[in-house]
Amino acid sequence: MAGAVEVDKAVATEGEGKTCCAQEVKGPGYASPLDAMKGPREALIYVTCVYNGTHEKGKPDYLATVDVDPNSPTYLQIIHRLPAPYVGDELHHSGWNACSSCHGDPSTDRRYLILPSLLSGRIYVIDTATDPKAPALHRVVEPEDIVRETGLAYPHTSHCLASGDILVSCLGDKDGNAAGSGFLLLDSDFNIKGRWEKPGHSPLFGYDYWYQPRHNTMISTSWGAPSAFSKGFNLDHVANGLYGRHLHVYNWSDGELKQTLDLGDTGLLPLEIRFLHDPSKDTGFVGCALTSNMVRFFKTTDGSWSHEVVISVEPLKVKNWILPEMPGLITDFLISLDDRYLYFVNWLHGDIRQYNIEDPRKPVLTGQVWAGGLIQKGSDIVYIAEDGAEAQFDVPEVKGNRLRGGPQMIQLSLDGKRLYATNSLFSVWDKQFYPEIVQKGAHMIQIDVDTEKGGLKLNPNFFVDFGLEPDGPSLAHEMRYPGGDCTSDIWI
């Protein structure tokens, strides 16, 4: 199995005073999550932007560089666009060649942004170090090579490893079958090493993952079969077993699938997953989109892993929609670097929530803000309140702009005081649920965060409109800071 030895070597060192060494010799990132909170304020944000599946046919997806420095003359402007060399990629998530997991290695450098293309299967390597304001294409890992050497396709989540390798989750084979999912291992020069997991230990479905070497564990989640989700959401596909409800627990040292957790009907479509940032902690969360539950996973006294639902977003009874009830649809979440707050979005309902998770077993709602959604005032859709009255949510305009779609991807400033949100999920699903953002483009907004008492407030002066792009309206998805953030960096 390619990479097992390198990962195993990393585990052997990662558990033995790695953070101590990191204090003395500095590689990329920060020695600890709390050190990261003292890092510089974000000035640039890289955003994956999609033309695939929109009205702008024949145009490539691109990486946008957004200026978010309030003291800059180009504040709130898209100052650079790096187009992909091909059409039809569906740029989606991104990661780094090196992050805080490599902080103890001064020979490494956070230089390259890894951009997997969900539909085409290409993986772009982007140089962000030469000119952070104008990233440039460094290399392309071609899908034909990935399929030939590993059988994998539909790449999604990318994380760097302390060994220098890069691990990419893949959601299926080239024909879109979930049975072909697994994990692609690239070396530090972006050459294909093979699959990370042991032969015969592939997950049932693929999507996101997070690793924690101190507990010799990696846990991955389950979206669905690419042959199903790439055509739009069909509820029958859930009943037919084409979407997931499992967590896959691996030995980090050797890629052995040691446990599969069935989340049942309360855990349909488990998407994003995060351990707590403190590497000594053996607990984390996963957002289950369709059932709109936040599930906590944790290690038990016998060394196995278990789970429990700790937050439930109740579906709303609605009129004038495709179903009589509307789920919130938790599509993204993150955890502040001090492990104090958890934030998630309800893409369909339209709210962003903040929970205090100082007791991870009992999250407490501390903030909520409405930032779009299908049931905002002016929509044809209404929800039925407990007293039987029809109602809609009041969503304020931002700089004279009505908020289109629903909040989808989020990113938090290192100090935890600013939360950014975009509103595109996946082009074919955008077209299905929010055709307006396909027609008029996505946007980025900012929410001010009260980190002392808790609370969220929409910033009335922050609006980046991807509907005004020179090549036509585009769909903005994931956001990254050049120096790393709470969803890219893992501490070991």
Side-chain angles (χ1 to χ4, degrees):
M1 178 188 59
V5 174
E6 281 80 358
V7 172
D8 198 31
K9 287 179 180 176
V11 170
T13 58
E14 285 161 359
E16 300 172 5
K18 185 78 172 185
T19 54
C20 176
C21 296
Q23 306 275 354
E24 301 166 3
V25 288
K26 295 183 179 180
Y30 303 89
S32 72
L34 295 181
D35 281 349
M37 294 190 76
K38 303 171 186 175
R41 177 177 173 138
E42 67 284 358
L44 301 173
I45 298 182
Y46 301 131
V47 186
T48 52
C49 296
V50 173
Y51 278 130
N52 180 63
T54 72
H55 301 294
E56 309 303 327
K57 298 184 184 299
K59 295 178 181 177
D61 301 343
Y62 62 100
L63 182 70
T65 304
V66 181
D67 186 340
V68 293
D69 178 2
N71 298 315
S72 168
T74 53
Y75 179 54
L76 299 184
Q77 295 181 29
I78 300 168
I79 60 174
H80 185 264
R81 301 165 186 84
L82 175 66
Y86 299 93
V87 172
D89 284 319
E90 191 88 24
L91 295 181
H92 202 62
H93 284 204
S94 60
W96 292 103
N97 70 302
C99 72
S100 294
S101 66
C102 307
H103 186 69
D105 183 356
S107 68
T108 58
D109 183 27
R110 190 196 305 265
R111 184 179 188 89
Y112 299 107
L113 188 67
I114 313 301
L115 288 182
S117 303
L118 185 57
L119 294 184
S120 73
R122 292 183 188 91
I123 299 177
Y124 296 110
V125 181
I126 310 299
D127 178 5
T128 64
T130 301
D131 184 351
K133 292 185 177 181
L137 181 63
H138 173 70
R139 181 172 173 179
V140 181
V141 184
E142 296 291 354
E144 296 82 6
D145 297 334
I146 297 172
V147 170
R148 183 181 64 253
E149 297 191 34
T150 68
L152 295 168
Y154 298 92
H156 186 269
T157 297
S158 170
H159 282 299
C160 68
L161 312 185
S163 62
D165 292 337
I166 297 157
L167 188 63
V168 184
S169 63
C170 296
L171 279 58
D173 63 17
K174 64 181 179 60
D175 298 317
N177 300 306
S181 63
F183 303 92
L184 170 67
L185 197 64
L186 303 176
D187 67 19
S188 58
D189 293 319
F190 316 109
N191 300 306
I192 298 168
K193 297 184 71 171
R195 284 185 180 243
W196 172 80
E197 75 276 16
K198 279 185 173 181
H201 287 250
S202 297
L204 299 172
F205 293 91
Y207 189 68
D208 196 22
Y209 74 91
W210 200 273
Y211 65 85
Q212 187 38 262
R214 292 199 192 182
H215 300 286
N216 191 28
T217 296
M218 183 270 269
I219 303 179
S220 70
T221 63
S222 311
W223 184 7
S227 60
F229 70 68
S230 63
K231 295 178 176 61
F233 181 71
N234 184 333
L235 199 57
D236 290 339
H237 288 163
V238 179
N240 294 336
L242 294 176
Y243 284 92
R245 64 182 202 182
H246 297 86
L247 300 183
H248 308 94
V249 183
Y250 284 89
N251 279 329
W252 182 238
S253 56
D254 61 7
E256 177 184 358
L257 179 61
K258 61 181 180 181
Q259 192 177 355
T260 299
L261 300 178
D262 187 344
L263 304 182
D265 291 339
T266 62
L268 298 177
L269 277 68
L271 297 182
E272 310 299 331
I273 186 169
R274 323 276 185 225
F275 269 89
L276 294 182
H277 295 291
D278 181 342
S280 69
K281 302 298 184 182
D282 57 2
T283 190
F285 299 87
V286 58
C288 301
L290 188 56
T291 41
S292 300
N293 290 324
M294 190 62 62
V295 171
R296 182 179 80 96
F297 59 87
F298 54 94
K299 185 187 278 189
T300 65
T301 55
D302 66 4
S304 64
W305 293 78
S306 188
H307 62 92
E308 62 179 351
V309 175
V310 291
I311 302 171
S312 293
V313 177
E314 295 299 322
L316 295 175
K317 294 181 180 179
V318 293
K319 292 178 65 175
N320 306 322
W321 197 53
I322 54 176
L323 295 171
E325 290 190 338
M326 180 188 294
L329 211 72
I330 299 174
T331 53
D332 193 25
F333 84 98
L334 53 77
I335 298 172
S336 62
L337 287 167
D338 57 5
D339 290 333
R340 188 179 179 198
Y341 291 110
L342 180 149
Y343 302 83
F344 70 76
V345 301
N346 287 304
W347 190 53
L348 297 183
H349 288 179
D351 59 316
I352 302 175
R353 299 189 184 192
Q354 176 197 49
Y355 285 81
N356 184 302
I357 56 167
E358 289 175 293
D359 182 351
R361 299 166 298 177
K362 297 179 180 180
V364 177
L365 181 65
T366 50
Q368 184 177 25
V369 65
W370 295 93
L374 288 169
I375 319 177
Q376 60 179 300
K377 289 182 179 178
S379 166
D380 293 333
I381 303 169
V382 297
Y383 76 92
I384 311 302
E386 290 184 2
D387 61 2
E390 297 181 357
Q392 293 179 313
F393 298 115
D394 187 12
V395 178
E397 291 187 345
V398 179
K399 298 185 73 172
N401 296 280
R402 178 180 179 272
L403 297 187
R404 306 182 287 268
Q408 207 289 114
M409 293 302 294
I410 50 177
Q411 190 55 263
L412 187 66
S413 61
L414 296 180
D415 62 9
K417 295 180 179 180
R418 293 166 300 283
L419 187 71
Y420 298 88
T422 55
N423 54 343
S424 168
L425 172 60
F426 177 53
S427 63
V428 67
W429 288 36
D430 292 346
K431 188 180 298 185
Q432 182 177 1
F433 292 102
Y434 287 113
E436 182 185 27
I437 68 170
V438 178
Q439 298 164 359
K440 298 182 179 181
H443 54 240
M444 182 195 300
I445 56 175
Q446 185 193 88
I447 294 90
D448 295 324
V449 179
D450 185 336
T451 59
E452 297 300 321
K453 299 178 181 179
L456 302 175
K457 183 180 179 182
L458 195 62
N459 185 335
N461 300 311
F462 188 104
F463 191 83
V464 179
D465 194 347
F466 292 88
L468 303 178
E469 286 293 77
D471 283 341
S474 68
L475 302 174
H477 190 63
E478 192 177 55
M479 297 163 282
R480 285 272 172 254
Y481 306 141
D485 49 64
C486 67
T487 60
S488 69
D489 282 34
I490 295 176
W491 282 267
I492 58 177

